[in-house]
Amino acid sequence: MSLAEAGDETALDEWRVAWLGRRGRLTAVLRGVRDLPAEERPRVGAGANRLKSALEDAVAAHRAQLHASAEHAKSIDVSLPGRTPPLGSLHPVTLTRRHLERTFRDMGFDVVEGPDVELEEYNFDRLRIPAGHPARDMWDTIWVADDAGDNGGPRQLLRTHTSPMQIRYLERRQPPIRVIVPGTCYRYEATDATHEWMLTQIEGLVIDENLSFAHLKGTLEAFVRRMFGADIETRFRCDYFPFVEPGAELGVRWQGDWLEVLGCGMVHPEIIEDAGLDPDRYTGFAFGMGVERVAMLRYGVRDIRHFYRNDVRFLRQFEGRR
């Protein structure tokens, strides 16, 4: 047994006696010094005494360590329940996004995701926003450095909205379509209390036969009632988005003020036709909302920048929320 393996006082004493006791191994060496030639006795004796001193110091240090461990054990009440370590909680934007997804799933929507780095074709061109179109000024784009784009190939960018998934989804699926697309979007713009350069958006798309603006209005009003309560007051106002016609914004009356919640409209017939569908047979509607804006309403947050400052004091307010 080595000294390090002596786990209590009894084992430590056994080790000390085995090495330093009257009949210990080192004691036998010291007694045998007198039998050595005279010229070797000083060297062997001095070395043995140094070893004895080192072993005595090691025994004392190990004994002190055992005493400290014993005192620490006495301070622990093993009958008490263990302390639960802090586990953290979900971010308020994540909480809101999951709540929105559950709400739309309950209404019969599928949930899909798309790429953060998008092609110019899907982000703009096929959404009726060609190069030079004034509507591109609505999105301050962050372009991705790309050799293909420099050489005349397709340009890439950080998507400015989740609407490109309208086109990607229509390429793969046939009506009836009822889907939402959550994801992060990026815009090169100044930040303030209601604007961030990075935002989370949820895009919605519904395509089927004989859909009208009444279906859009009924779906979104049902969604708003599920989110904010049955007594919430809503309004629709005309707005412009290149890929819908007509376009509108949905607002709710919140604490006495009208607040915009989302943009929406009927899918433009050209987009339906480009997807290989008959626009005389199929119609649809689309909508998009900022999850941070909904979180601000839901939790009473007045500055959108709080969400991404990583201030633990702010984030701890949402512990235990769902």
Side-chain angles (χ1 to χ4, degrees), residues 252-291:
V252 299
R253 186 179 290 276
W254 187 260
Q255 297 179 351
D257 296 323
W258 284 104
L259 298 176
E260 179 188 352
V261 174
L262 55 85
C264 58
M266 300 302 295
V267 177
H268 200 285
E270 290 182 7
I271 290 180
I272 294 177
E273 187 174 9
D274 287 344
L277 302 174
D278 183 0
D280 293 328
R281 178 183 177 186
Y282 292 106
T283 54
F285 59 84
F287 54 88
M289 71 189 75
V291 176

Side-chain angles (χ1 to χ4, degrees), residues 114-131:
D116 283 28
V117 179
E118 186 57 273
L119 295 175
E120 180 182 19
E121 173 189 2
Y122 288 98
N123 197 86
F124 289 128
D125 297 339
R126 297 182 64 179
L127 287 169
R128 304 186 70 253
I129 317 173

Side-chain angles (χ1 to χ4, degrees), residues 3 5 31 40 74 78 165 267 302-303:
L3 178 60
E5 293 173 334
R31 286 176 178 172
E40 294 185 13
K74 291 178 182 179
V78 296
M165 276 302 293
V267 177
R302 296 186 177 274
D303 193 325

Side-chain angles (χ1 to χ4, degrees), residues 56-234:
E56 289 175 343
D57 291 344
V59 169
H62 195 69
R63 192 183 304 279
Q65 183 180 359
L66 290 177
H67 289 169
S69 298
E71 290 300 320
H72 178 67
K74 291 178 182 179
S75 67
I76 299 176
D77 187 347
V78 296
S79 66
L80 292 174
R83 296 183 179 92
T84 302
L87 300 178
S89 60
L90 292 176
H91 192 276
V93 175
T94 303
L95 290 169
T96 304
R97 171 177 164 170
R98 291 188 176 185
H99 185 65
L100 289 167
E101 290 177 7
R102 287 196 302 268
T103 300
F104 280 112
R105 278 197 178 101
D106 292 344
M107 297 171 67
F109 284 75
D110 294 328
V111 180
V112 299
E113 296 187 10
D116 283 28
V117 179
E118 186 57 273
L119 295 175
E120 180 182 19
E121 173 189 2
Y122 288 98
N123 197 86
F124 289 128
D125 297 339
R126 297 182 64 179
L127 287 169
R128 304 186 70 253
I129 317 173
H133 194 290
R136 286 207 183 191
D137 294 338
M138 297 167 60
W139 292 277
D140 299 305
T141 308
I142 301 176
W143 295 95
V144 176
D146 180 51
D147 292 339
D150 295 338
N151 296 323
R155 292 201 296 172
Q156 299 184 66
L157 53 106
L158 295 181
R159 64 181 175 191
T160 59
H161 49 178
T162 47
S163 300
M165 276 302 293
Q166 289 187 30
I167 308 302
R168 291 185 177 274
Y169 199 76
L170 284 170
E171 288 179 337
R172 303 194 306 266
R173 301 292 293 270
Q174 292 293 312
I177 290 171
R178 187 177 298 167
V179 63
I180 62 167
V181 185
T184 306
C185 304
Y186 311 85
R187 297 176 185 176
Y188 187 66
E189 62 181 7
T191 62
D192 57 32
T194 57
H195 295 84
E196 263 285 7
W197 73 271
M198 180 181 74
L199 64 147
T200 309
Q201 192 178 70
I202 288 186
E203 181 84 9
L205 176 67
V206 179
I207 303 287
D208 206 343
E209 298 182 15
N210 302 316
L211 293 180
S212 68
F213 199 91
H215 294 97
L216 163 65
K217 187 171 182 289
T219 300
L220 295 182
E221 285 182 341
F223 154 73
V224 169
R225 287 194 295 269
R226 285 170 176 259
M227 282 296 299
F228 301 108
D231 298 330
I232 193 72
E233 188 177 355
T234 62

Side-chain angles (χ1 to χ4, degrees), residues 21-46 48-49:
R22 294 179 60 187
R23 297 183 180 180
R25 299 177 185 179
L26 185 57
T27 303
V29 173
L30 289 169
R31 286 176 178 172
V33 170
R34 64 173 178 263
D35 299 328
L36 296 173
E39 64 273 12
E40 294 185 13
R41 292 173 191 171
R43 178 177 59 81
V44 175
N49 282 318

